[in-house]
């Protein structure tokens, strides 16, 4: 069964360092998302991406964050200068034919980011 | 990958019993709802969805009920099994937008 894969599974970094989280969406999918889950809190939407541009972003997705689809398979989330409060589990998701209401949104297993 | 916060509601049931997990949503404009299951170390996994023009939808061993009047959503799991143990989240979507808004999650523990 096709799946969304994420790397690394866990990254530990020092505050102020740049971090890149990588995702390989399902191969025929066109819509890509990043969500995060701070320990003990809800899963929160960060950004959606379609046709090589951001289609929507939340207030969390400030100038420290960026996304990129550098080639035909990867979708990355970059945090330019990490803060302690960026520590969370980051989930990538993808869908084939539109937004979440198509019922076809698939999540990866997440990348845990720990900022010290 | 699970939400393990101190305040996560927990439902403990005996294997074979039915489970009911509840969710209250706040946005009356939400018109699409999903239940996700999240097992330890994994991402959210789609269980069942429902649109606002329906009040009930059934899947395999699962039923979702939607009460728009009181903005309440429930997930019923029939004959709960140990493999159902996980954290369950409801999520809502407005007008086919790009964003899902997740609820706080409920931990289901199934006792053999």
């Amino acid at each position: 069964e096709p799946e969304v894969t994420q790397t690394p599974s866990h990254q530990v970094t020092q505050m102020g360092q740049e971090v890149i989280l990588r995702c390989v969406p399902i191969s025929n999918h066109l819509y890509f998302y990043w969500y995060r889950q701070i320990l003990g809190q809800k899963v929160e939407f960060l950004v959606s991406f379609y046709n090589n541009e951001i289609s929507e972003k939340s207030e969390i997705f400030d100038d420290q964050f960026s996304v990129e689809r550098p080639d035909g398979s990867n979708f990355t989330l970059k945090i330019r200068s990490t803060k302690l409060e960026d520590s969370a589990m980051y989930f990538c998701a993808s869908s084939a034919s539109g937004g979440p209401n198509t019922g076809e949104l698939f999540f990866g297993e997440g990348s845990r980011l720990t900022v010290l | 990958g699970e939400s393990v916060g101190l305040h996560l509601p927990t439902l403990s049931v005996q294997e074979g019993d039915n489970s009911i997990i509840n969710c209250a949503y706040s946005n009356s404009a939400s018109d699409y709802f999903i239940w996700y299951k999240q097992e330890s170390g994994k991402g959210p996994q789609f269980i069942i969805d429902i649109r606002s023009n329906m009040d009930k939808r059934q899947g395999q061993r699962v039923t979702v009920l939607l009460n728009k009047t009181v903005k309440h959503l429930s997930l019923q799991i029939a004959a709960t099994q140990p493999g159902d143990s996980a954290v369950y989240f409801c999520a809502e979507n407005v007008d086919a937008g790009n964003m899902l808004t997740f609820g706080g999650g409920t931990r289901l523990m199934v006792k053999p």
Side-chain angles (χ1 to χ4, degrees):
Chain A
E1 186 176 316
E3 57 181 16
V4 176
T5 57
Q6 292 185 239
T7 55
S9 56
H10 188 193
Q11 180 155 358
V12 181
T13 190
Q14 294 291 323
M15 190 170 55
Q17 296 295 305
E18 175 182 286
V19 159
I20 297 177
L21 305 178
R22 301 180 193 278
C23 170
V24 178
I26 295 173
S27 63
N28 62 338
H29 285 191
L30 302 175
Y31 298 78
F32 314 112
Y33 308 83
W34 283 101
Y35 284 76
R36 81 171 185 189
Q37 186 178 29
I38 295 172
L39 190 65
Q41 299 187 23
K42 301 176 183 180
V43 177
E44 301 172 291
F45 171 81
L46 291 178
V47 66
S48 60
F49 189 87
Y50 169 70
N51 200 26
N52 268 332
E53 60 182 26
I54 291 173
S55 45
E56 190 168 351
K57 60 183 180 179
S58 70
E59 293 176 351
I60 303 167
F61 195 87
D62 61 22
D63 293 344
Q64 294 297 317
F65 291 88
S66 62
V67 289
E68 191 178 26
R69 187 153 164 80
D71 52 43
S73 59
N74 290 285
F75 179 53
T76 62
L77 174 69
K78 182 193 290 187
I79 309 174
R80 232 177 303 280
S81 176
T82 49
K83 305 186 286 287
L84 293 175
E85 54 264 38
D86 294 327
S87 294
M89 182 71 86
Y90 288 81
F91 293 106
C92 175
S94 70
S95 64
S97 57
N101 72 334
T102 59
E104 297 175 346
L105 186 65
F106 294 92
F107 283 84
E109 297 199 344
S111 292
R112 183 175 295 282
L113 176 64
T114 301
V115 182
L116 302 177
Chain B
E2 62 186 87
S3 176
V4 290
L6 292 173
H7 303 292
L8 193 68
T10 298
L11 175 65
S12 184
V13 300
Q14 206 68 40
E15 181 179 358
D17 287 352
N18 297 332
S19 303
I20 300 176
I21 300 170
N22 296 303
C23 175
Y25 65 94
S26 57
N27 189 348
S28 56
S30 293
D31 55 9
Y32 176 72
F33 305 87
I34 311 173
W35 278 101
Y36 284 98
K37 173 186 182 182
Q38 188 176 28
E39 295 175 282
S40 180
K42 296 188 176 181
Q45 178 187 359
F46 175 93
I47 301 173
I48 192 168
D49 59 358
I50 188 168
R51 300 188 189 278
S52 59
N53 61 351
M54 303 173 70
D55 51 22
K56 181 178 180 179
R57 189 157 189 240
Q58 287 184 290
Q60 198 172 34
R61 272 200 316 119
V62 293
T63 301
V64 55
L65 299 176
L66 174 63
N67 185 331
K68 294 182 288 294
T69 303
V70 296
K71 297 201 282 289
H72 183 269
L73 195 67
S74 69
L75 175 71
Q76 300 178 0
I77 305 173
T80 315
Q81 302 167 1
D84 295 327
S85 294
V87 177
Y88 289 81
F89 293 95
C90 65
E92 58 190 290
N93 179 254
V94 177
D95 197 24
N98 293 295
M99 181 172 67
L100 281 177
T101 301
F102 281 79
T106 296
R107 183 185 304 281
L108 176 65
M109 297 176 63
V110 182
K111 296 176 285 188

